[in-house]
Structure formats: C-alpha cells, structure tokens
C-alpha cells in the first residue's frame, strides 16, 4: 500500500459552496489509485468541507441561508470579533460542519452517490477586506492510500 | 496491509435513527480484521451517519425533535422544494451531521465506547411518496484496512 | 505500511474545549511516523472532537455560548434526562460536532493550518456529580498509519 499527498489550491469566491469533485477525481486519477481512501483536510478556521446535493443550485443558497439564521453576523452575540462581526459565525459554521472528509475509492472512482458532490464551504469574509480571500482560499490536503504497487 | 470494500444495504423505516453496529461488527468479523480502520460513507443526500447513545430510546426521539426544531419542514423557509417541503431539511440535517465516519478496529472489534452505537440517520421523506424510501435506504459503504496478511 | 494504536487519556475540566494538539504531536512523534493518517475517536457520548482557532480564547467561550443557545439545558425540551437536564444537550452537541477526526501527517507533523488546534469538547456534566467527570474524561483513541518500515 502506498500513499500520495498533495496540497490542492481552490479558487473560491468570497463566500459560499464551491464544488471540488472534479479536481479530486482528476488528482486521484493521476495517482493511479484503484482502491483506497481519500482524506481531505481543510487547513483554515473559516472554511469547511461538505458533501451535498450537486444538482439544484437552490440547495446551496438554502444552506447558506440556514447557517445565516443559526449563526448570524450579529456583533452583539460574540465576544470574539478580531476580524469583524463575521469572525465567530465562520468558526461556528466550521464547527457545525467539518474540516475533514474521507471518501472511499472503488475502481479508481470516488465512491460518491449519484447526487453527491464534494464542496468547499467558504464562510463569510469581513465586509471590506480584499486580502483575506487568499488566506481562506480553500487549500485542501488530500492524503490518498493506494493498494497493489 | 490489505483492504476490503463492500456495499451494505440497510433496511430502514421512513425516517429516524437505525442502529447498524451489529451489521458492521459482523462484516469486519468476516474479513478477519484485527487492527485497522473502518470507514463508512453514506451515498445519499438525505441520510447521514451518527455515533450516539445506544441505551435509552428517548435519546433518538429527542435528537429527531431537535433537528425538527432547527431545520423545520416549513416550505416558506426554503427555495428548494423539488421533492417536497422536507427536501431542504433533509439536506441541512445531513450537513449538520456527516455522511462519513471512520472507526478504529482493535483486536478485531470496533473501538466504540460502552454506550456508543453507530446509527444511520434517515431524514424525512416526502409525505406521500412510497418510492423514495428505497432511494434513501441507507446503503453504507465500508472500506476497511487490515494488517498482517 | 504499519499501524500504531493507543488510548490517550486527557485531563479535562468539567466542561469546555481542551486543546490536545501537543499530546497528539508528541505521540505521533514517538511513533516515528512521517507520512500517514492520524485518526482520533472519542469513546464517549457526551464529548466530541473539534478543530478550531487556537489563538483567541474568546472563540472557545463564544462556541460554548452558541451551543448553549441552540441546545439549552431546559428540562422541558427533552424526554431523556436520566442523568439530569444536561444529558440531552450533551448528546445533541456530540451529534452536531463529531466523535471522529482524521488528520494527515506530512513530514512527521500533523498537517494543521497555522491557526488550527485540535480540541476535545467536553459537554455539560450534571450539576452535582463528582463522579461523572471521569466517565467523560476524554479518552481519545489514535489509530495512526505509518509508511516505510
């Protein structure tokens, strides 16, 4: 059994769900992996990983609206606002979802269901910050295990 | 180190938490695994995996009631309702829990705590749909790694 | 590829987020692991694992306050209160976060981001129970895979 590790850089808008399924399939394909486990780890505290419905775009908007409702950008709610009123909502959203995701590989493919896509979920950036987008720009680490070499 | 992969089919009621610990133990037992890692991945967008208390049945009812409170089946809340008013609540519940779970194997047993069970969590199906139950019927994929062959 | 497994015992206060990053680095270091995957599994139903911001202490207080808001210790809300009014809130918090966490190892280090720490999240214990603290005292299991022996 062998392993391959990489750092994936993902271009993201300032916030929201960005599908990365294609990039993951491409990378595992280049590794020649057939059976194994792909583990993703998001190295940021204001982004996370999610498996979600990949067909209707309203699902993504509704998900964002849901997280806005339960973890609103309301300065009065949080003691921590070093980077603005959206700082704690981002950490809470990361806690409620996950920064880690492992997906089995079968016959060289990610074993996702028909309607499943893998998403990087960027949480709200500060209102007037151009620089931060890079900092949370969703580098994802993939540690893949492959068999039979 | 070797791997074994299977698709587990789980019979579920229309919604709720269904314990699958026994089926997982049986499968890993048949593989002769001693030390390793069992990774489960639920290939549906309206079901997820959960480790929970396996003694008091009220825990399961209280958990479902909690998710009904924070992600209610209220058509006015969501833009996405292709499959009925319960469609988005199901996606939200899947986002708040997880479709993936990895459990270490030690001495041939899942390393669960005394009061822990593994559950497939079926999220609400559409009110008058007989066919959907199959679609979300909790196939769980297990990718187990075993040592020492 | 080899594996190592251990049971980590973590001293925790009665509730809250306790950083365990140092203990994890020390253990993986002793194993001589270079590239691989560290999987943690919390064997309790009233504690969980979280990757969070490790700089500002207010983040931890705000996170606890958030979970107090969405899963309050209100006896009227839950049927299950065998161990007091905080019993179900603890199970709900465990369901919303996770009892499992896998972190890639690269060049002998946990591949965490600059601002990420690994936390054991102890959920509220019963008000007047001295004994329970041990029961939920955050034993964490680490199943590490290492390469190249």
């Amino acid at each position: 059994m062998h392993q391959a590790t990489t750092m994936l850089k993902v271009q993201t808008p300032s916030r929201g769900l960005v599908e990365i399924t294609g990039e993951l399939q491409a990378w595992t394909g280049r590794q020649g992996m057939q059976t194994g486990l792909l583990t993703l780890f998001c190295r940021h505290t204001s982004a996370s990983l999610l498996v979600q419905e990949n067909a209707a775009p309203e699902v993504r908007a509704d998900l964002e609206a849901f997280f806005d409702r339960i973890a609103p950008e309301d300065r009065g709610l949080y003691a921590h606002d070093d980077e603005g009123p959206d700082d704690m909502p981002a950490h809470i959203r990361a806690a409620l979802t996950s920064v880690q995701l492992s997906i089995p590989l079968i016959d060289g493919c990610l074993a996702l269901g028909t309607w499943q896509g893998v998403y990087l979920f960027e949480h709200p950036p500060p209102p007037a910050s151009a620089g931060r987008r890079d900092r949370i720009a969703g580098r994802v680490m993939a540690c893949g295990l492959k068999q039979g070499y």
Side-chain angles (χ1 to χ4, degrees), chain A:
Chain A
M1 186 176 287
H2 287 235
Q3 299 177 83
T5 303
T6 193
M7 297 288 277
L8 301 177
K9 288 200 182 188
V10 182
Q11 291 289 346
T12 59
S14 60
R15 64 187 290 173
L17 289 142
V18 182
E19 186 165 10
I20 58 172
T21 317
E23 282 153 285
L24 300 177
Q25 291 274 22
W27 182 67
T28 54
R30 286 195 299 275
Q31 304 304 319
M33 295 183 181
Q34 289 299 311
T35 305
L37 189 65
L38 175 74
T39 295
L40 305 171
F41 193 87
C42 175
R43 301 176 73 226
H44 296 274
T45 59
S46 49
S48 48
L49 296 160
L50 213 51
V51 173
Q52 269 294 321
E53 222 253 34
N54 64 358
E58 299 87 16
V59 172
R60 264 115 58 202
D62 281 341
L63 269 175
E64 286 184 65
F66 168 79
F67 283 103
D68 281 343
R69 275 197 300 276
I70 61 165
E73 291 176 39
D74 175 349
R75 196 180 285 264
L77 282 174
Y78 314 108
H80 177 68
D81 57 1
D82 295 358
E83 296 169 85
D86 62 321
D87 201 2
M88 266 317 294
H91 295 321
I92 290 169
R93 288 159 207 220
L96 292 175
T97 50
S98 183
V99 294
Q100 175 259 317
L101 180 64
S102 292
I103 307 170
L105 287 164
I106 297 185
D107 296 333
C109 292
L110 294 174
L112 297 165
T114 309
W115 304 106
Q116 287 182 319
V118 183
Y119 291 86
L120 183 73
F121 190 4
E122 284 279 15
H123 305 306
S129 158
R132 191 176 172 199
R133 196 176 298 185
D134 282 342
R135 197 177 69 74
I136 61 168
R139 284 165 286 142
V140 174
M141 173 173 305
C143 166
L145 309 182
K146 55 185 170 173
Q147 186 180 35
Y149 269 48

